[in-house]
Amino acid sequence: QSALTQPRSVSGSPGQSVTISCTGTSSDVGGYNHVSWYQQYPGKVPKLTIYDVNKRPSGVPGRFSGSKSGNTASLTISGLQAEDEADYYCCSYAGDYTYVFGTGTKVTVL
Amino acid sequence: QVQLVGSGGGVVQPGGSLRLSCAASGFTFSSFGMHWVRQAPGKGLEWVAFIWYDGSNKYYIDSVKGRFTISRDNSKNTVYLQMNSLRAEDTAVYYCAKGSFSVASALDSWGQGALVTVSS
């Protein structure tokens, strides 16, 4: 049950694209197509942004997309906007109804 | 819309106990599994526990097994987290979260969190 590995921070200018990686093992990320991503503003509640690797809940802008290759999942924010500045966490199903979160990434809009 | 309201947080001494509650509304509570997730001050999210829709099965992160118990009362639309033998490292904001229709997929709605501080 070790946390998934994410970069501490990524940054980009408005309009650019940024990608956040999330690396796990074959027991979690690599073993299931159940990776989700959560956006969290400081002092606020996390919000589901992507589920099942690449599906967007209703209301989430289309500039958010997800993918996975092997033991690494990724979240891409295309056309970065000021309001996207937040912390982002990946989460993977790890079998037997257990879950593991990533270490978190701070996205900064320059 | 889905609403999850957590309560029961506070300050407790090491070795003490506390029970968190999370009242749900806006969805058919008895049809969905529920989670507890915690976040230590300035740290990341950590999944803590999950309970099936009917309460028949429960799952925990290793660090709380034998100390924490998740339960639910579907007649009251409420999920609980009983925390015993608390340690300083249990200090965190505890969020309840609703499991998605496909249980493994995601935690699709979150409550506002309850702060638990373990300190002498």
Side-chain angles (χ1 to χ4, degrees):
Chain A
Q1 293 174 327
S2 297
L4 309 175
T5 301
Q6 297 180 231
R8 289 185 65 89
S9 64
V10 299
S11 61
S13 300
Q16 288 187 329
S17 293
V18 296
T19 296
I20 303 168
S21 61
C22 169
T23 301
T25 70
S26 58
S27 296
D28 37 62
V29 175
Y32 307 92
N33 286 323
H34 295 305
V35 176
S36 50
W37 290 88
Y38 302 84
Q39 177 190 60
Q40 186 182 34
Y41 294 110
K44 300 299 185 182
V45 175
K47 173 191 170 187
L48 177 64
T49 305
I50 292 287
Y51 68 98
D52 285 349
V53 175
N54 56 14
K55 297 181 173 65
R56 276 181 291 109
S58 66
V60 173
R63 63 181 182 274
F64 291 91
S65 63
S67 63
K68 191 187 87 165
S69 177
N71 296 338
T72 299
S74 298
L75 174 71
T76 297
I77 310 173
S78 305
L80 196 63
Q81 297 187 8
E83 68 216 50
D84 300 332
E85 184 162 297
D87 295 325
Y88 292 82
Y89 294 90
C90 61
C91 178
S92 177
Y93 182 68
D96 200 22
Y97 298 96
T98 65
Y99 303 76
V100 58
F101 280 91
T103 50
T105 298
K106 179 177 178 57
V107 170
T108 301
V109 181
L110 300 172
Chain B
Q1 73 278 21
V2 173
Q3 194 167 15
L4 299 168
V5 179
S7 62
V11 180
V12 60
Q13 291 187 339
S17 298
L18 208 59
R19 189 178 84 155
L20 303 181
S21 301
C22 175
S25 61
F27 65 102
T28 305
F29 180 73
S30 59
S31 296
F32 291 90
M34 295 294 294
H35 300 264
W36 286 98
V37 176
R38 66 185 178 184
Q39 186 170 34
K43 302 297 184 182
L45 300 172
E46 182 178 53
W47 176 82
V48 174
F50 173 73
I51 186 168
W52 274 25
Y53 66 100
D54 60 357
S56 60
N57 289 285
K58 307 168 186 182
Y59 305 86
Y60 303 92
I61 192 172
D62 285 348
S63 59
V64 309
K65 282 180 182 176
R67 300 189 300 123
F68 289 12
T69 302
I70 188 172
S71 62
R72 64 190 297 158
D73 185 338
N74 285 348
S75 69
K76 295 182 179 179
N77 285 0
T78 301
V79 62
Y80 304 98
L81 187 67
Q82 176 68 44
M83 302 182 292
N84 298 331
S85 302
L86 282 161
R87 307 166 180 167
E89 55 264 37
D90 295 319
T91 294
V93 173
Y94 285 74
Y95 297 100
C96 62
K98 172 182 166 288
S100 58
F101 183 78
S102 168
V103 171
S105 291
L107 290 63
D108 62 16
S109 299
W110 296 59
Q112 89 281 10
L115 176 60
V116 173
T117 303
V118 184
S119 173
S120 54

